[in-house]
Each structure stands twice: as structure tokens, then as C-alpha cells.
């Protein structure tokens, strides 16, 4: 699955949290030391190396900022790193799993990062995702319950958004969230740019608007787990979405808010090898609508994402061969033998959404499925449509032909 919660262990050395309050921006280049390769499917760029299977990059999320972070991907690290250009605060020696959020480009240069703050008891980040708004990233922060606890023990998680321009944080919840909450944030795209002098402790001060929406998963275990929707423009009221009929005891994976802020798309899982995808309006009595598996698909849709282009809305997803046991890319995509769809594909279909409509017309598909590429790319598509991202051992950006 996309959200990897395994803690593989810590190095015995201590990592000093040392980062500038100002973001570090490396110069963008497709050719500055990148081991990219022109292929029949486009130009592939390995992220965080491609040689060592132990080097894993999880939680891929393609950049939504085509101005400051073009052709880039947000990701979480495991215990090894193999990036190129970075500043001195981005330690390459004392590395712990999930100790930083990284945005890197096609040349494997670090364009932006955020380190954990050990002085505040922080142990790791989890589940980063680019907001629907280009200026924000949302993630979980795992911290120790008390000073006597080790980071290898169970952690207390909170949800925060970080502003990429200055790395200021807003805490939706500082604690009490489950490790697999997989949060996502929608911010009114018409809102004015947030002021650096605004009160970062308030929604309006941090985002420049109260028209902000948050989703995350709540509940100790299934069937209790549900998607929680919080609407900050309406008194921060929280509602819990009804689970799909007949799937009350299935797990929920990675709900993502639509560009208009009114729907989510997500996977339901029954174990690691059985999954389905659904679309659902963000309202209390809404009905989950299944994304049907059509005759030209090799599996149920996995890791669905929204993609909006010039006023047209699409759902993007991957499908996998029948013998695939997890929603993961586990192959080296630079090998031509796996570029024919045998390791999975990326598909897309246009859609129309109508909030507040009866369920039979709230979601309308337009046309048929399209094969975007014959490799599985699970981290979404850039707003300009040029790049796809994927991760989890190993990771790539793909520039489409």
C-alpha cells in the first residue's frame, strides 16, 4: 500500500535537527547528474537512487507547485539516502527512517525539506501529501508520549500542515491521531496568499482563508475506522462518512479531496491483496460510489488520485497483474522488460461531479478509460500534465512523451 507504517529501526547515532526557517531551493535541471533514461514510455528519473533495493522512498506525492517546485516529488525516506544537491542541514550520515520530508526534482536534487524537531520529542513524519493548494503540504508527526520513551515504541500522532514558503506549521490536531490517519487538506484556490505575518495559530491567519477542509481516518480498528471530514468554514464541524455498503469491516486507505473540495476518492482494502476504489461526497448521509472495474482493466483501481486540467476533471489510478499481492511498485522501471504493462499500468478517466445531487447523477463518467502509461505510477499527476510520480522501493518521476 502507499502508506508504509513499518518502522525499520533506528541508527544508534543521534540526528541533530538543524534546518533553516527559510526553504532551501536547489536549481532545477533535468540533466545535472541525473541517471535518467529515454524509454518508449517517456523519460524516467530515479528518485533517491535506483541501484540498491534497500533504498526505499515511500508516500510519493507529485508536486502541485509548477512554479517553485516543477517536475518534483514529495516523499518520505527510509534509513538510506542517495540524493544529490542539498544544503548542510540535510544530513546524509545520521539518517533515521521518516526523519524528514523531502521534495526532490528530476536531477535528484533536494529542492525543499523539513526535519523533525527532536527537542520537541518528535520521532518521525508519516503520510505526507501535497494539499490541493500548491503552497501547502500535510502530514502526520509522531512524537514520544513522554521523555522516558524511545522512538522505537508506539508513538502519539498529530496532523499538521506546513507552508512551503516559510516552513511555518499549523496544527489541526497535535496528538491523539492514529498512525494510519492519511490526512489530506483542501484550501480555497481563490483565497489570497497567506501573509507571513499572519497568526499561524489560526486557520485564517495560516491559510489566508477559513475556507479550508480536512479529511483523515479515525478509529482504533475496523469496522470502527471511518473517514472524518472537518469543514473550517462552518465552525470546524466534524462529520464521519458512511462506509460503502457491505464493506463495513474493510480498511480505508488514503482519502484525497477533489479540487472543488466536495468529494473524496479512496481505496477500501480487505487485507493487503484485495481492494476496491470509491468516490464519495463530503456530506453526512452521502453514499459511496464504487469505481467499477471495466473489462479492459487487470485489477480493481489502486491508489486513485484526482487530476484537473484546464477545467476538465479526471480520476487517475493504477491497475496491477492478477498475481500482485499489494498496491505497490516493487520493480525497477528502468528495465525495459517491465515497461509493457506486465508490472502494472496507470489509467485515467474523465468525470463530472455534482455536489448535493442524488447519488445516481452526483458522479458521471465521461468517455472510456485511457491508458496514460504502461507502468504503475501511484503518486499522482502534476497540474501541467507532464509528470507522474511513484514510490515504495524504488521511486521515479516519469516525464510523459
Amino acid at each position: 500500500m502507499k502508506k508504509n507504517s513499518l518502522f525499520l529501526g533506528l541508527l544508534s547515532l543521534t540526528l541533530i535537527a538543524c534546518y533553516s526557517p527559510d526553504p532551501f531551493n536547489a536549481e532545477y535541471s533535468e540533466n545535472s547528474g541525473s541517471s535518467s533514461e529515454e524509454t518508449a514510455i517517456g523519460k524516467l528519473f530515479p528518485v533517491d537512487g535506483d541501484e540498491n533495493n534497500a533504498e526505499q522512498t515511500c508516500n510519493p506525492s507529485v508536486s502541485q507547485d509548477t512554479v517553485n517546485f516543477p517536475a518534483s516529488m514529495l516523499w518520505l525516506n527510509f534509513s538510506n539516502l542517495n540524493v544529490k544537491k542539498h544544503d548542510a542541514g540535510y544530513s546524509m550520515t545520521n539518517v533515521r527512517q521518516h526523519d524528514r520530508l523531502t521534495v526532490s526534482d528530476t536531477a535528484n536534487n533536494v529542492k525543499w525539506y523539513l526535519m523533525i524537531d527532536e527537542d520537541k520529542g518528535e520521532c518521525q513524519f508519516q503520510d505526507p501529501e501535497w494539499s490541493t493548494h500548491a503552497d501547502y503540504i500535510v502530514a502526520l508527526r509522531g512524537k514520544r508520549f513522554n521523555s522516558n520513551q524511545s522512538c522505537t515504541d508506539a508513538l502519539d500522532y498529530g496532523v499538521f500542515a506546513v507552508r512551503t514558503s516559510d516552513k511555518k506549521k499549523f496544527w489541526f490536531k497535535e496528538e491523539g491521531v492514529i498512525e494510519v490517519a492519511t490526512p489530506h487538506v483542501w484550501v480555497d484556490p481563490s483565497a489570497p496568499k497567506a501573509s507571513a505575518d499572519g497568526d499561524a495559530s489560526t486557520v485564517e491567519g495560516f491559510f489566508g482563508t477559513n475556507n479550508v477542509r480536512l479529511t483523515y481516518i479515525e478509529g482504533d480498528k475496523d469496522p470502527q475506522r471511518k473517514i472524518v471530514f472537518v469543514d473550517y468554514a462552518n465552525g470546524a464541524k466534524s462529520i464521519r462518512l458512511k462506509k460503502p455498503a457491505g464493506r463495513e469491516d474493510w480498511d480505508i486507505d488514503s482519502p484525497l479531496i477533489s479540487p472543488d473540495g466536495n468529494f473524496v476518492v479512496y481505496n477500501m482494502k480487505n487485507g493487503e491483496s484485495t481492494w476496491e476504489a470509491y468516490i464519495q461526497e463530503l456530506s453526512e448521509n452521502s453514499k459511496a460510489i464504487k469505481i467499477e472495474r471495466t473489462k479492459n482493466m487487470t485489477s480493481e483501481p489502486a491508489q486513485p488520485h484526482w487530476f484537473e486540467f484546464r477545467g476538465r476533471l479526471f480520476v487517475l489510478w493504477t491497475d496491477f497483474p492478477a498475481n500482485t499481492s499489494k498496491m505497490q511498485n516493487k520493480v525497477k522501471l528502468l528495465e525495459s522488460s517491465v515497461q509493457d504493462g506486465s508490472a502494472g499500468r496507470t489509467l485515467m478517466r474523465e468525470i463530472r461531479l455534482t455536489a448535493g445531487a442524488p447519488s445516481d447523477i452526483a458522479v458521471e463518467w465521461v468517455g472510456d478509460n485511457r491508458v496514460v502509461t504502461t507502468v504503475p505510477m501511484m503518486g499522482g499527476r502534476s497540474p501541467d500534465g507532464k509528470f507522474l510520480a511513484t514510490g515504495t522501493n524504488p521511486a521515479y518521476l516519469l516525464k510523459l512523451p
Side-chain angles (χ1 to χ4, degrees), residues 2 12 24 58-59 61 82 99 107 110 113 170 194 196 199 201 207 214 244 255 313 325 367 380 393:
K2 176 185 168 189
S12 59
F24 167 68
C58 65
N59 300 87
S61 181
N82 189 20
D99 66 1
V110 175
Y113 66 92
F170 176 81
D199 183 357
S201 67
F207 294 100
L214 168 72
L313 182 64
S325 60
N393 171 298

PDB file of all heavy atoms in Angstrom, residues 2 12 24 58-59 61 82 99 107 110 113 170 194 196 199 201 207 214 244 255 313 325 367 380 393:
ATOM      1  N   LYS A   2       0.248   2.351  -0.311  1.00  0.00           N
ATOM      2  CA  LYS A   2       1.025   3.572  -0.439  1.00  0.00           C
ATOM      3  C   LYS A   2       1.577   4.024   0.897  1.00  0.00           C
ATOM      4  O   LYS A   2       2.702   4.487   1.011  1.00  0.00           O
ATOM      5  CB  LYS A   2       0.144   4.664  -1.027  1.00  0.00           C
ATOM      6  CG  LYS A   2       0.827   5.986  -1.108  1.00  0.00           C
ATOM      7  CD  LYS A   2      -0.151   7.024  -1.581  1.00  0.00           C
ATOM      8  CE  LYS A   2       0.424   8.392  -1.393  1.00  0.00           C
ATOM      9  NZ  LYS A   2      -0.536   9.412  -1.635  1.00  0.00           N
ATOM     10  N   SER A  12      22.078   4.142  15.746  1.00  0.00           N
ATOM     11  CA  SER A  12      22.419   4.480  17.113  1.00  0.00           C
ATOM     12  C   SER A  12      22.887   5.923  17.245  1.00  0.00           C
ATOM     13  O   SER A  12      22.880   6.498  18.331  1.00  0.00           O
ATOM     14  CB  SER A  12      23.515   3.540  17.632  1.00  0.00           C
ATOM     15  OG  SER A  12      24.667   3.648  16.811  1.00  0.00           O
ATOM     16  N   PHE A  24      15.174  25.682   1.416  1.00  0.00           N
ATOM     17  CA  PHE A  24      16.333  25.563   0.539  1.00  0.00           C
ATOM     18  C   PHE A  24      15.838  25.162  -0.834  1.00  0.00           C
ATOM     19  O   PHE A  24      15.155  24.175  -0.996  1.00  0.00           O
ATOM     20  CB  PHE A  24      17.287  24.504   1.086  1.00  0.00           C
ATOM     21  CG  PHE A  24      18.348  24.083   0.108  1.00  0.00           C
ATOM     22  CD1 PHE A  24      19.346  24.953  -0.282  1.00  0.00           C
ATOM     23  CD2 PHE A  24      18.324  22.813  -0.442  1.00  0.00           C
ATOM     24  CE1 PHE A  24      20.308  24.549  -1.182  1.00  0.00           C
ATOM     25  CE2 PHE A  24      19.285  22.411  -1.352  1.00  0.00           C
ATOM     26  CZ  PHE A  24      20.287  23.291  -1.724  1.00  0.00           C
ATOM     27  N   CYS A  58       8.975   6.067   0.265  1.00  0.00           N
ATOM     28  CA  CYS A  58       7.547   5.788   0.377  1.00  0.00           C
ATOM     29  C   CYS A  58       6.736   7.071   0.384  1.00  0.00           C
ATOM     30  O   CYS A  58       7.278   8.173   0.445  1.00  0.00           O
ATOM     31  CB  CYS A  58       7.259   4.945   1.616  1.00  0.00           C
ATOM     32  SG  CYS A  58       7.600   5.747   3.178  1.00  0.00           S
ATOM     33  N   ASN A  59       5.429   6.915   0.325  1.00  0.00           N
ATOM     34  CA  ASN A  59       4.480   8.025   0.344  1.00  0.00           C
ATOM     35  C   ASN A  59       4.750   9.042  -0.763  1.00  0.00           C
ATOM     36  O   ASN A  59       4.877  10.240  -0.512  1.00  0.00           O
ATOM     37  CB  ASN A  59       4.504   8.724   1.704  1.00  0.00           C
ATOM     38  CG  ASN A  59       4.130   7.811   2.837  1.00  0.00           C
ATOM     39  OD1 ASN A  59       4.981   7.126   3.382  1.00  0.00           O
ATOM     40  ND2 ASN A  59       2.862   7.774   3.191  1.00  0.00           N
ATOM     41  N   SER A  61       4.205  11.762  -3.591  1.00  0.00           N
ATOM     42  CA  SER A  61       3.173  12.749  -3.911  1.00  0.00           C
ATOM     43  C   SER A  61       3.772  13.746  -4.888  1.00  0.00           C
ATOM     44  O   SER A  61       4.711  14.468  -4.547  1.00  0.00           O
ATOM     45  CB  SER A  61       2.702  13.464  -2.637  1.00  0.00           C
ATOM     46  OG  SER A  61       1.691  14.405  -2.918  1.00  0.00           O
ATOM     47  N   ASN A  82      20.129   8.684  -1.048  1.00  0.00           N
ATOM     48  CA  ASN A  82      21.019   8.759  -2.197  1.00  0.00           C
ATOM     49  C   ASN A  82      20.616   9.933  -3.086  1.00  0.00           C
ATOM     50  O   ASN A  82      20.404   9.790  -4.273  1.00  0.00           O
ATOM     51  CB  ASN A  82      20.990   7.446  -2.992  1.00  0.00           C
ATOM     52  CG  ASN A  82      22.045   7.398  -4.069  1.00  0.00           C
ATOM     53  OD1 ASN A  82      23.029   8.135  -4.023  1.00  0.00           O
ATOM     54  ND2 ASN A  82      21.856   6.548  -5.061  1.00  0.00           N
ATOM     55  N   ASP A  99      12.619  10.708   9.114  1.00  0.00           N
ATOM     56  CA  ASP A  99      13.060  11.845   9.919  1.00  0.00           C
ATOM     57  C   ASP A  99      12.978  13.169   9.167  1.00  0.00           C
ATOM     58  O   ASP A  99      13.365  14.203   9.686  1.00  0.00           O
ATOM     59  CB  ASP A  99      14.476  11.635  10.456  1.00  0.00           C
ATOM     60  CG  ASP A  99      15.545  11.605   9.365  1.00  0.00           C
ATOM     61  OD1 ASP A  99      15.210  11.759   8.174  1.00  0.00           O
ATOM     62  OD2 ASP A  99      16.727  11.415   9.715  1.00  0.00           O
ATOM     63  N   ALA A 107      16.610  15.762 -11.313  1.00  0.00           N
ATOM     64  CA  ALA A 107      18.055  15.564 -11.206  1.00  0.00           C
ATOM     65  C   ALA A 107      18.445  14.980  -9.856  1.00  0.00           C
ATOM     66  O   ALA A 107      19.629  14.851  -9.550  1.00  0.00           O
ATOM     67  CB  ALA A 107      18.787  16.894 -11.437  1.00  0.00           C
ATOM     68  N   VAL A 110      17.742  18.056  -3.932  1.00  0.00           N
ATOM     69  CA  VAL A 110      16.778  18.408  -2.899  1.00  0.00           C
ATOM     70  C   VAL A 110      16.358  19.855  -3.102  1.00  0.00           C
ATOM     71  O   VAL A 110      17.178  20.771  -3.029  1.00  0.00           O
ATOM     72  CB  VAL A 110      17.374  18.211  -1.498  1.00  0.00           C
ATOM     73  CG1 VAL A 110      16.402  18.696  -0.429  1.00  0.00           C
ATOM     74  CG2 VAL A 110      17.721  16.743  -1.264  1.00  0.00           C
ATOM     75  N   TYR A 113      12.947  20.770   2.111  1.00  0.00           N
ATOM     76  CA  TYR A 113      12.848  19.689   3.094  1.00  0.00           C
ATOM     77  C   TYR A 113      12.423  20.243   4.438  1.00  0.00           C
ATOM     78  O   TYR A 113      12.496  21.448   4.705  1.00  0.00           O
ATOM     79  CB  TYR A 113      14.176  18.936   3.226  1.00  0.00           C
ATOM     80  CG  TYR A 113      15.313  19.742   3.808  1.00  0.00           C
ATOM     81  CD1 TYR A 113      15.576  19.738   5.175  1.00  0.00           C
ATOM     82  CD2 TYR A 113      16.140  20.505   2.987  1.00  0.00           C
ATOM     83  CE1 TYR A 113      16.620  20.471   5.706  1.00  0.00           C
ATOM     84  CE2 TYR A 113      17.183  21.241   3.507  1.00  0.00           C
ATOM     85  CZ  TYR A 113      17.417  21.230   4.871  1.00  0.00           C
ATOM     86  OH  TYR A 113      18.448  21.973   5.395  1.00  0.00           O
ATOM     87  N   PHE A 170       0.823  24.624  10.906  1.00  0.00           N
ATOM     88  CA  PHE A 170      -0.468  24.777  11.566  1.00  0.00           C
ATOM     89  C   PHE A 170      -0.903  23.402  12.045  1.00  0.00           C
ATOM     90  O   PHE A 170      -0.942  22.447  11.261  1.00  0.00           O
ATOM     91  CB  PHE A 170      -1.522  25.361  10.625  1.00  0.00           C
ATOM     92  CG  PHE A 170      -2.881  25.433  11.263  1.00  0.00           C
ATOM     93  CD1 PHE A 170      -3.189  26.475  12.123  1.00  0.00           C
ATOM     94  CD2 PHE A 170      -3.831  24.443  11.046  1.00  0.00           C
ATOM     95  CE1 PHE A 170      -4.436  26.539  12.733  1.00  0.00           C
ATOM     96  CE2 PHE A 170      -5.072  24.497  11.652  1.00  0.00           C
ATOM     97  CZ  PHE A 170      -5.376  25.554  12.509  1.00  0.00           C
ATOM     98  N   ALA A 194      -1.454  33.707   1.834  1.00  0.00           N
ATOM     99  CA  ALA A 194      -1.353  33.936   3.266  1.00  0.00           C
ATOM    100  C   ALA A 194      -0.181  34.854   3.579  1.00  0.00           C
ATOM    101  O   ALA A 194       0.896  34.750   2.972  1.00  0.00           O
ATOM    102  CB  ALA A 194      -1.195  32.614   4.002  1.00  0.00           C
ATOM    103  N   ALA A 196       2.952  36.233   5.664  1.00  0.00           N
ATOM    104  CA  ALA A 196       3.962  35.652   6.547  1.00  0.00           C
ATOM    105  C   ALA A 196       3.822  36.180   7.963  1.00  0.00           C
ATOM    106  O   ALA A 196       4.287  35.551   8.922  1.00  0.00           O
ATOM    107  CB  ALA A 196       5.355  35.952   6.009  1.00  0.00           C
ATOM    108  N   ASP A 199      -1.296  35.279  11.950  1.00  0.00           N
ATOM    109  CA  ASP A 199      -1.280  34.431  13.139  1.00  0.00           C
ATOM    110  C   ASP A 199      -1.333  32.968  12.708  1.00  0.00           C
ATOM    111  O   ASP A 199      -2.393  32.463  12.340  1.00  0.00           O
ATOM    112  CB  ASP A 199      -2.472  34.772  14.034  1.00  0.00           C
ATOM    113  CG  ASP A 199      -2.477  33.975  15.334  1.00  0.00           C
ATOM    114  OD1 ASP A 199      -1.586  33.118  15.516  1.00  0.00           O
ATOM    115  OD2 ASP A 199      -3.384  34.202  16.160  1.00  0.00           O
ATOM    116  N   SER A 201      -1.401  30.402  14.294  1.00  0.00           N
ATOM    117  CA  SER A 201      -2.154  29.502  15.180  1.00  0.00           C
ATOM    118  C   SER A 201      -3.627  29.439  14.814  1.00  0.00           C
ATOM    119  O   SER A 201      -4.373  28.655  15.396  1.00  0.00           O
ATOM    120  CB  SER A 201      -2.010  29.957  16.638  1.00  0.00           C
ATOM    121  OG  SER A 201      -2.650  31.205  16.847  1.00  0.00           O
ATOM    122  N   PHE A 207      -3.660  30.081   6.552  1.00  0.00           N
ATOM    123  CA  PHE A 207      -4.001  29.781   5.160  1.00  0.00           C
ATOM    124  C   PHE A 207      -4.471  30.995   4.367  1.00  0.00           C
ATOM    125  O   PHE A 207      -4.584  30.911   3.147  1.00  0.00           O
ATOM    126  CB  PHE A 207      -5.098  28.713   5.104  1.00  0.00           C
ATOM    127  CG  PHE A 207      -4.673  27.367   5.609  1.00  0.00           C
ATOM    128  CD1 PHE A 207      -5.015  26.958   6.891  1.00  0.00           C
ATOM    129  CD2 PHE A 207      -3.927  26.504   4.815  1.00  0.00           C
ATOM    130  CE1 PHE A 207      -4.639  25.708   7.365  1.00  0.00           C
ATOM    131  CE2 PHE A 207      -3.544  25.257   5.280  1.00  0.00           C
ATOM    132  CZ  PHE A 207      -3.898  24.858   6.564  1.00  0.00           C
ATOM    133  N   LEU A 214     -10.452  19.454   5.861  1.00  0.00           N
ATOM    134  CA  LEU A 214      -9.512  18.397   6.241  1.00  0.00           C
ATOM    135  C   LEU A 214     -10.228  17.059   6.238  1.00  0.00           C
ATOM    136  O   LEU A 214     -11.373  16.960   6.684  1.00  0.00           O
ATOM    137  CB  LEU A 214      -8.961  18.674   7.649  1.00  0.00           C
ATOM    138  CG  LEU A 214      -8.173  17.548   8.336  1.00  0.00           C
ATOM    139  CD1 LEU A 214      -6.805  17.369   7.686  1.00  0.00           C
ATOM    140  CD2 LEU A 214      -8.022  17.841   9.839  1.00  0.00           C
ATOM    141  N   PRO A 244     -18.821   2.213   2.545  1.00  0.00           N
ATOM    142  CA  PRO A 244     -19.571   1.565   1.468  1.00  0.00           C
ATOM    143  C   PRO A 244     -20.374   0.373   1.981  1.00  0.00           C
ATOM    144  O   PRO A 244     -19.909  -0.378   2.851  1.00  0.00           O
ATOM    145  CB  PRO A 244     -18.477   1.116   0.498  1.00  0.00           C
ATOM    146  CG  PRO A 244     -17.324   2.032   0.770  1.00  0.00           C
ATOM    147  CD  PRO A 244     -17.380   2.319   2.237  1.00  0.00           C
ATOM    148  N   PRO A 255      -7.830   8.712   1.729  1.00  0.00           N
ATOM    149  CA  PRO A 255      -8.834   9.562   1.081  1.00  0.00           C
ATOM    150  C   PRO A 255      -8.220  10.883   0.623  1.00  0.00           C
ATOM    151  O   PRO A 255      -7.504  11.543   1.381  1.00  0.00           O
ATOM    152  CB  PRO A 255      -9.872   9.789   2.191  1.00  0.00           C
ATOM    153  CG  PRO A 255      -9.120   9.575   3.469  1.00  0.00           C
ATOM    154  CD  PRO A 255      -8.068   8.547   3.184  1.00  0.00           C
ATOM    155  N   LEU A 313     -11.903  17.447 -15.293  1.00  0.00           N
ATOM    156  CA  LEU A 313     -11.544  16.668 -14.111  1.00  0.00           C
ATOM    157  C   LEU A 313     -11.435  15.192 -14.473  1.00  0.00           C
ATOM    158  O   LEU A 313     -12.280  14.652 -15.192  1.00  0.00           O
ATOM    159  CB  LEU A 313     -12.597  16.864 -13.019  1.00  0.00           C
ATOM    160  CG  LEU A 313     -12.336  16.147 -11.694  1.00  0.00           C
ATOM    161  CD1 LEU A 313     -11.066  16.678 -11.027  1.00  0.00           C
ATOM    162  CD2 LEU A 313     -13.534  16.308 -10.752  1.00  0.00           C
ATOM    163  N   SER A 325       0.203  -8.922  -5.032  1.00  0.00           N
ATOM    164  CA  SER A 325      -0.332  -9.110  -3.684  1.00  0.00           C
ATOM    165  C   SER A 325      -0.505  -7.804  -2.919  1.00  0.00           C
ATOM    166  O   SER A 325      -1.174  -7.769  -1.901  1.00  0.00           O
ATOM    167  CB  SER A 325       0.591 -10.035  -2.877  1.00  0.00           C
ATOM    168  OG  SER A 325       1.886  -9.471  -2.768  1.00  0.00           O
ATOM    169  N   GLY A 367     -16.747   9.358 -21.245  1.00  0.00           N
ATOM    170  CA  GLY A 367     -15.866   8.556 -22.092  1.00  0.00           C
ATOM    171  C   GLY A 367     -15.362   7.304 -21.392  1.00  0.00           C
ATOM    172  O   GLY A 367     -15.852   6.901 -20.335  1.00  0.00           O
ATOM    173  N   GLY A 380       0.316  10.291  -8.313  1.00  0.00           N
ATOM    174  CA  GLY A 380      -0.433  11.370  -8.918  1.00  0.00           C
ATOM    175  C   GLY A 380       0.224  11.972 -10.146  1.00  0.00           C
ATOM    176  O   GLY A 380       1.335  11.586 -10.541  1.00  0.00           O
ATOM    177  N   ASN A 393      10.132   1.649  -3.143  1.00  0.00           N
ATOM    178  CA  ASN A 393      11.155   0.652  -3.500  1.00  0.00           C
ATOM    179  C   ASN A 393      11.020   0.129  -4.922  1.00  0.00           C
ATOM    180  O   ASN A 393      10.478  -0.951  -5.132  1.00  0.00           O
ATOM    181  CB  ASN A 393      11.079  -0.469  -2.460  1.00  0.00           C
ATOM    182  CG  ASN A 393      11.916  -1.689  -2.797  1.00  0.00           C
ATOM    183  OD1 ASN A 393      11.698  -2.336  -3.803  1.00  0.00           O
ATOM    184  ND2 ASN A 393      12.839  -2.024  -1.947  1.00  0.00           N
TER     185      ASN A 393
END
